[in-house]
Amino acid sequence: MKKQVSVFGLHVRAVLPRLLSAALGLLAVELILTGVCMIRGTAITLAGSDLEHALQYPFRAGILALQVLLASCFGSNSRYGYTLRRLRVSERCVFLWSCACSALCYAVLWCVQIMASVGAAFWNASSARYSAGPQGVFVDFYRSGFLHGLFPLADGYVWTRNALFVLALGCVTAYMQLGMRRKGSRSWLVCMGLTLLLVLCLPVQYGAGRSTGIFHAIAALLVGLAFLGFGLTQTHSGKDGLADEVD
Amino acid sequence: MLELKNLCKRYGQTQALDNVQLSVGPGEIVGLFGENGAGKTTLMKCILQLILYDAGGITLDGKLITRQNIGRFSFATCEHSFFPALTAKAHRDFYEEHFETFLGRRFEGLMDFFQLPMDKPIRSFSTGQKNQFEVIMALSQGADYILMDEPFAGNDIFNREDFYKVLLGILEPHETVILSTHLIEEVPGFIGRAVLLHHGKIVGDTQTAELDEQGKTLMDYVKETYSYQSDRVSRALTELTGKEDEDA
């Protein structure tokens, strides 16, 4: 188990600086955009306002940026896969740890975005001449499709969808890492295209959780399972000691 | 004892390894020589199970190489196998957790000797430093069989000489080194055995002590084995320029 934890630790060490830079970059961009929006005028409600857009688009871009950063987290110009394949831990386990670590990174970025959105909503509420106060912020998370999709409060369907989104993103990113390790993989465009589709599906209106949310959840589940399957079949279980063809 | 029996590997139409038979015992320092494409790298990757071979077998002390005994091998390659984004310290911690035999003192000593920083990501190192670090990791893993594939490509002559000296000084009697290199003139004092590959076949295998007894240099032996025609340059120049090469 110690060796398994160590592989996870290796991933954490590699992704931490990249996750930090993605999160801080996202916060900085959103702070600037929120400030600009506030100068131009506060909104009574965030739904459909400039402030909602100022939060929504950087987050989508942030997810894509984080994906690129995570996929190349160990660096390029090295065959570090040779080292991973000399471990007692199988390459398949390494892939699974990579899925878990990447999913965790997306979950952290998601939490950062929730905090940024709540902060921006409170800032807007406290600055607006006519404001419903904290209760208005609460209502914003039901009225705005983006904010509801991000932080669905009591909407269990959307929470499930979000969890599956994060897991699917983790699997896609781990597969991209595997491609980096193996070199010559041309799957990046497909991976990023699918991620873009998931990211475009982020907003979900209150009340649509049971229909749209479930549809999104199934899509995320299929994407996640597909890439998990690709990764598991392309990595070696380590049971018989034979190698995969890497060159 | 590492044993390769009738090892065959083909890449499409190219026979990379052709019935290779080789035994390497504990404590040997073997130089693996051959022209580009002779099969040196393929041979090493087959031993390390990094690529599948088509026929034959490889055993370590009579056992197939599996995840259970793969840790008895370490590998230093000119392609590099470290994690560029991680620091030397992170590498040490990771190796310590995965290889019970990891030689911490050797690692620290070599890092000090080559004055490599512990807290900088390896990607920030120069090419020479990256090569040094690659070899340091291979030597510090505590492996019984240390495989090196052109590990000094890009290092200057002084650096390489330092390495040969350090290697001879630190290797334990049970540690085996298989070194693939084109730098034949530099290694006679370091290796104890020379294995020559040509078109995937072993065409020469000798102890350097035997060469000394015969009064031959390693280079003489290599040229002799490959039937090197020393006048081919002057002949080619004559054909190309239409006049006799004055130096020939």
Side-chain angles (χ1 to χ4, degrees), chain B residues 113-135:
Chain B
F113 181 77
F114 289 104
Q115 295 176 318
L116 299 182
M118 288 290 274
D119 295 316
K120 281 188 178 170
I122 311 302
R123 64 164 173 249
S124 68
F125 286 12
S126 68
T127 305
Q129 286 178 319
K130 283 177 183 168
N131 289 341
Q132 287 167 350
F133 185 73
E134 177 78 11
V135 176

mmCIF file of all heavy atoms in Angstrom, chain B residues 113-135:
data_model
loop_
_atom_site.group_PDB
_atom_site.id
_atom_site.type_symbol
_atom_site.label_atom_id
_atom_site.label_comp_id
_atom_site.label_asym_id
_atom_site.label_seq_id
_atom_site.Cartn_x
_atom_site.Cartn_y
_atom_site.Cartn_z
ATOM 1 N N PHE B 113 29.341 15.436 -5.662
ATOM 2 C CA PHE B 113 30.512 15.395 -6.538
ATOM 3 C C PHE B 113 30.263 16.178 -7.827
ATOM 4 O O PHE B 113 31.115 16.918 -8.290
ATOM 5 C CB PHE B 113 30.883 13.943 -6.864
ATOM 6 C CG PHE B 113 32.084 13.812 -7.750
ATOM 7 C CD1 PHE B 113 33.362 13.990 -7.236
ATOM 8 C CD2 PHE B 113 31.946 13.556 -9.105
ATOM 9 C CE1 PHE B 113 34.479 13.899 -8.057
ATOM 10 C CE2 PHE B 113 33.048 13.463 -9.939
ATOM 11 C CZ PHE B 113 34.324 13.634 -9.412
ATOM 12 N N PHE B 114 29.068 15.985 -8.404
ATOM 13 C CA PHE B 114 28.767 16.672 -9.668
ATOM 14 C C PHE B 114 28.093 18.030 -9.450
ATOM 15 O O PHE B 114 27.695 18.679 -10.416
ATOM 16 C CB PHE B 114 27.919 15.771 -10.570
ATOM 17 C CG PHE B 114 28.706 14.613 -11.106
ATOM 18 C CD1 PHE B 114 28.538 13.347 -10.582
ATOM 19 C CD2 PHE B 114 29.648 14.797 -12.093
ATOM 20 C CE1 PHE B 114 29.288 12.284 -11.045
ATOM 21 C CE2 PHE B 114 30.398 13.739 -12.564
ATOM 22 C CZ PHE B 114 30.220 12.481 -12.037
ATOM 23 N N GLN B 115 27.988 18.399 -8.189
ATOM 24 C CA GLN B 115 27.455 19.718 -7.804
ATOM 25 C C GLN B 115 26.103 20.004 -8.462
ATOM 26 O O GLN B 115 25.894 21.066 -9.057
ATOM 27 C CB GLN B 115 28.462 20.811 -8.167
ATOM 28 C CG GLN B 115 29.746 20.682 -7.378
ATOM 29 C CD GLN B 115 30.793 21.695 -7.786
ATOM 30 O OE1 GLN B 115 30.981 21.953 -8.964
ATOM 31 N NE2 GLN B 115 31.482 22.245 -6.814
ATOM 32 N N LEU B 116 25.213 19.040 -8.343
ATOM 33 C CA LEU B 116 23.869 19.209 -8.900
ATOM 34 C C LEU B 116 22.938 19.699 -7.796
ATOM 35 O O LEU B 116 23.000 19.205 -6.669
ATOM 36 C CB LEU B 116 23.349 17.879 -9.472
ATOM 37 C CG LEU B 116 24.154 17.264 -10.610
ATOM 38 C CD1 LEU B 116 23.503 15.980 -11.099
ATOM 39 C CD2 LEU B 116 24.284 18.239 -11.771
ATOM 40 N N PRO B 117 22.079 20.665 -8.118
ATOM 41 C CA PRO B 117 21.166 21.184 -7.087
ATOM 42 C C PRO B 117 20.052 20.192 -6.748
ATOM 43 O O PRO B 117 19.543 19.512 -7.633
ATOM 44 C CB PRO B 117 20.585 22.446 -7.730
ATOM 45 C CG PRO B 117 20.764 22.260 -9.185
ATOM 46 C CD PRO B 117 21.931 21.364 -9.399
ATOM 47 N N MET B 118 19.699 20.132 -5.480
ATOM 48 C CA MET B 118 18.672 19.182 -5.024
ATOM 49 C C MET B 118 17.259 19.736 -5.197
ATOM 50 O O MET B 118 16.309 18.970 -5.301
ATOM 51 C CB MET B 118 18.873 18.862 -3.536
ATOM 52 C CG MET B 118 20.063 17.994 -3.246
ATOM 53 S SD MET B 118 19.831 16.315 -3.821
ATOM 54 C CE MET B 118 18.976 15.590 -2.438
ATOM 55 N N ASP B 119 17.123 21.075 -5.181
ATOM 56 C CA ASP B 119 15.780 21.653 -5.115
ATOM 57 C C ASP B 119 15.296 22.301 -6.412
ATOM 58 O O ASP B 119 14.305 23.027 -6.415
ATOM 59 C CB ASP B 119 15.721 22.689 -3.977
ATOM 60 C CG ASP B 119 15.925 22.019 -2.635
ATOM 61 O OD1 ASP B 119 15.322 20.951 -2.435
ATOM 62 O OD2 ASP B 119 16.691 22.539 -1.813
ATOM 63 N N LYS B 120 15.988 22.030 -7.483
ATOM 64 C CA LYS B 120 15.537 22.600 -8.770
ATOM 65 C C LYS B 120 14.946 21.487 -9.627
ATOM 66 O O LYS B 120 15.465 20.359 -9.616
ATOM 67 C CB LYS B 120 16.724 23.221 -9.521
ATOM 68 C CG LYS B 120 17.112 24.583 -9.017
ATOM 69 C CD LYS B 120 18.148 25.190 -9.936
ATOM 70 C CE LYS B 120 18.535 26.570 -9.484
ATOM 71 N NZ LYS B 120 19.691 27.079 -10.211
ATOM 72 N N PRO B 121 13.875 21.790 -10.380
ATOM 73 C CA PRO B 121 13.340 20.752 -11.276
ATOM 74 C C PRO B 121 14.410 20.317 -12.283
ATOM 75 O O PRO B 121 15.204 21.153 -12.734
ATOM 76 C CB PRO B 121 12.184 21.453 -11.993
ATOM 77 C CG PRO B 121 11.896 22.669 -11.207
ATOM 78 C CD PRO B 121 13.141 23.051 -10.491
ATOM 79 N N ILE B 122 14.410 19.049 -12.611
ATOM 80 C CA ILE B 122 15.472 18.531 -13.486
ATOM 81 C C ILE B 122 15.410 19.191 -14.866
ATOM 82 O O ILE B 122 16.416 19.305 -15.546
ATOM 83 C CB ILE B 122 15.358 16.990 -13.631
ATOM 84 C CG1 ILE B 122 15.209 16.328 -12.251
ATOM 85 C CG2 ILE B 122 16.550 16.410 -14.357
ATOM 86 C CD1 ILE B 122 16.310 16.605 -11.278
ATOM 87 N N ARG B 123 14.220 19.647 -15.276
ATOM 88 C CA ARG B 123 14.111 20.279 -16.605
ATOM 89 C C ARG B 123 14.953 21.559 -16.705
ATOM 90 O O ARG B 123 15.291 21.993 -17.803
ATOM 91 C CB ARG B 123 12.655 20.571 -16.963
ATOM 92 C CG ARG B 123 11.995 21.573 -16.070
ATOM 93 C CD ARG B 123 10.717 22.140 -16.632
ATOM 94 N NE ARG B 123 10.119 22.954 -15.590
ATOM 95 C CZ ARG B 123 9.003 22.663 -14.952
ATOM 96 N NH1 ARG B 123 8.311 21.610 -15.285
ATOM 97 N NH2 ARG B 123 8.551 23.436 -13.978
ATOM 98 N N SER B 124 15.300 22.149 -15.536
ATOM 99 C CA SER B 124 16.112 23.369 -15.567
ATOM 100 C C SER B 124 17.609 23.050 -15.664
ATOM 101 O O SER B 124 18.420 23.961 -15.777
ATOM 102 C CB SER B 124 15.837 24.213 -14.325
ATOM 103 O OG SER B 124 16.320 23.550 -13.166
ATOM 104 N N PHE B 125 17.989 21.772 -15.620
ATOM 105 C CA PHE B 125 19.402 21.390 -15.713
ATOM 106 C C PHE B 125 19.885 21.541 -17.164
ATOM 107 O O PHE B 125 19.096 21.472 -18.099
ATOM 108 C CB PHE B 125 19.595 19.917 -15.302
ATOM 109 C CG PHE B 125 19.480 19.639 -13.816
ATOM 110 C CD1 PHE B 125 18.975 20.579 -12.928
ATOM 111 C CD2 PHE B 125 19.888 18.414 -13.303
ATOM 112 C CE1 PHE B 125 18.863 20.307 -11.575
ATOM 113 C CE2 PHE B 125 19.783 18.134 -11.956
ATOM 114 C CZ PHE B 125 19.271 19.074 -11.084
ATOM 115 N N SER B 126 21.211 21.681 -17.318
ATOM 116 C CA SER B 126 21.793 21.659 -18.662
ATOM 117 C C SER B 126 21.780 20.212 -19.168
ATOM 118 O O SER B 126 21.562 19.283 -18.377
ATOM 119 C CB SER B 126 23.229 22.169 -18.619
ATOM 120 O OG SER B 126 24.029 21.236 -17.912
ATOM 121 N N THR B 127 22.044 20.021 -20.460
ATOM 122 C CA THR B 127 22.025 18.655 -21.024
ATOM 123 C C THR B 127 23.021 17.753 -20.291
ATOM 124 O O THR B 127 22.705 16.610 -19.953
ATOM 125 C CB THR B 127 22.376 18.695 -22.527
ATOM 126 O OG1 THR B 127 21.484 19.597 -23.155
ATOM 127 C CG2 THR B 127 22.253 17.330 -23.167
ATOM 128 N N GLY B 128 24.211 18.296 -20.045
ATOM 129 C CA GLY B 128 25.222 17.511 -19.339
ATOM 130 C C GLY B 128 24.762 17.123 -17.941
ATOM 131 O O GLY B 128 24.942 15.986 -17.503
ATOM 132 N N GLN B 129 24.154 18.067 -17.253
ATOM 133 C CA GLN B 129 23.662 17.784 -15.889
ATOM 134 C C GLN B 129 22.533 16.754 -15.906
ATOM 135 O O GLN B 129 22.449 15.902 -15.025
ATOM 136 C CB GLN B 129 23.167 19.078 -15.243
ATOM 137 C CG GLN B 129 24.292 20.014 -14.822
ATOM 138 C CD GLN B 129 23.749 21.308 -14.222
ATOM 139 O OE1 GLN B 129 22.781 21.871 -14.725
ATOM 140 N NE2 GLN B 129 24.386 21.769 -13.160
ATOM 141 N N LYS B 130 21.696 16.845 -16.936
ATOM 142 C CA LYS B 130 20.603 15.867 -17.045
ATOM 143 C C LYS B 130 21.184 14.465 -17.222
ATOM 144 O O LYS B 130 20.707 13.501 -16.600
ATOM 145 C CB LYS B 130 19.697 16.204 -18.239
ATOM 146 C CG LYS B 130 18.752 17.360 -17.980
ATOM 147 C CD LYS B 130 17.950 17.670 -19.227
ATOM 148 C CE LYS B 130 17.056 18.884 -18.987
ATOM 149 N NZ LYS B 130 16.458 19.406 -20.204
ATOM 150 N N ASN B 131 22.213 14.356 -18.059
ATOM 151 C CA ASN B 131 22.853 13.052 -18.258
ATOM 152 C C ASN B 131 23.463 12.552 -16.956
ATOM 153 O O ASN B 131 23.358 11.369 -16.616
ATOM 154 C CB ASN B 131 23.956 13.149 -19.312
ATOM 155 C CG ASN B 131 23.402 13.347 -20.701
ATOM 156 O OD1 ASN B 131 22.228 13.076 -20.945
ATOM 157 N ND2 ASN B 131 24.221 13.835 -21.605
ATOM 158 N N GLN B 132 24.116 13.475 -16.240
ATOM 159 C CA GLN B 132 24.718 13.092 -14.959
ATOM 160 C C GLN B 132 23.644 12.603 -14.005
ATOM 161 O O GLN B 132 23.803 11.569 -13.336
ATOM 162 C CB GLN B 132 25.443 14.296 -14.341
ATOM 163 C CG GLN B 132 26.731 14.645 -15.046
ATOM 164 C CD GLN B 132 27.265 16.006 -14.633
ATOM 165 O OE1 GLN B 132 26.605 16.789 -13.962
ATOM 166 N NE2 GLN B 132 28.484 16.286 -15.054
ATOM 167 N N PHE B 133 22.548 13.315 -13.950
ATOM 168 C CA PHE B 133 21.482 12.931 -13.028
ATOM 169 C C PHE B 133 20.888 11.571 -13.409
ATOM 170 O O PHE B 133 20.606 10.745 -12.546
ATOM 171 C CB PHE B 133 20.387 14.004 -13.005
ATOM 172 C CG PHE B 133 19.325 13.728 -11.984
ATOM 173 C CD1 PHE B 133 19.597 13.891 -10.626
ATOM 174 C CD2 PHE B 133 18.080 13.256 -12.340
ATOM 175 C CE1 PHE B 133 18.639 13.605 -9.670
ATOM 176 C CE2 PHE B 133 17.112 12.974 -11.396
ATOM 177 C CZ PHE B 133 17.390 13.146 -10.053
ATOM 178 N N GLU B 134 20.734 11.363 -14.714
ATOM 179 C CA GLU B 134 20.202 10.080 -15.204
ATOM 180 C C GLU B 134 21.097 8.926 -14.717
ATOM 181 O O GLU B 134 20.600 7.905 -14.227
ATOM 182 C CB GLU B 134 20.151 10.123 -16.736
ATOM 183 C CG GLU B 134 19.683 8.856 -17.417
ATOM 184 C CD GLU B 134 18.181 8.655 -17.383
ATOM 185 O OE1 GLU B 134 17.457 9.590 -17.004
ATOM 186 O OE2 GLU B 134 17.737 7.539 -17.718
ATOM 187 N N VAL B 135 22.390 9.116 -14.848
ATOM 188 C CA VAL B 135 23.325 8.051 -14.438
ATOM 189 C C VAL B 135 23.332 7.914 -12.909
ATOM 190 O O VAL B 135 23.375 6.800 -12.379
ATOM 191 C CB VAL B 135 24.744 8.339 -14.988
ATOM 192 C CG1 VAL B 135 25.728 7.292 -14.490
ATOM 193 C CG2 VAL B 135 24.730 8.331 -16.506
#
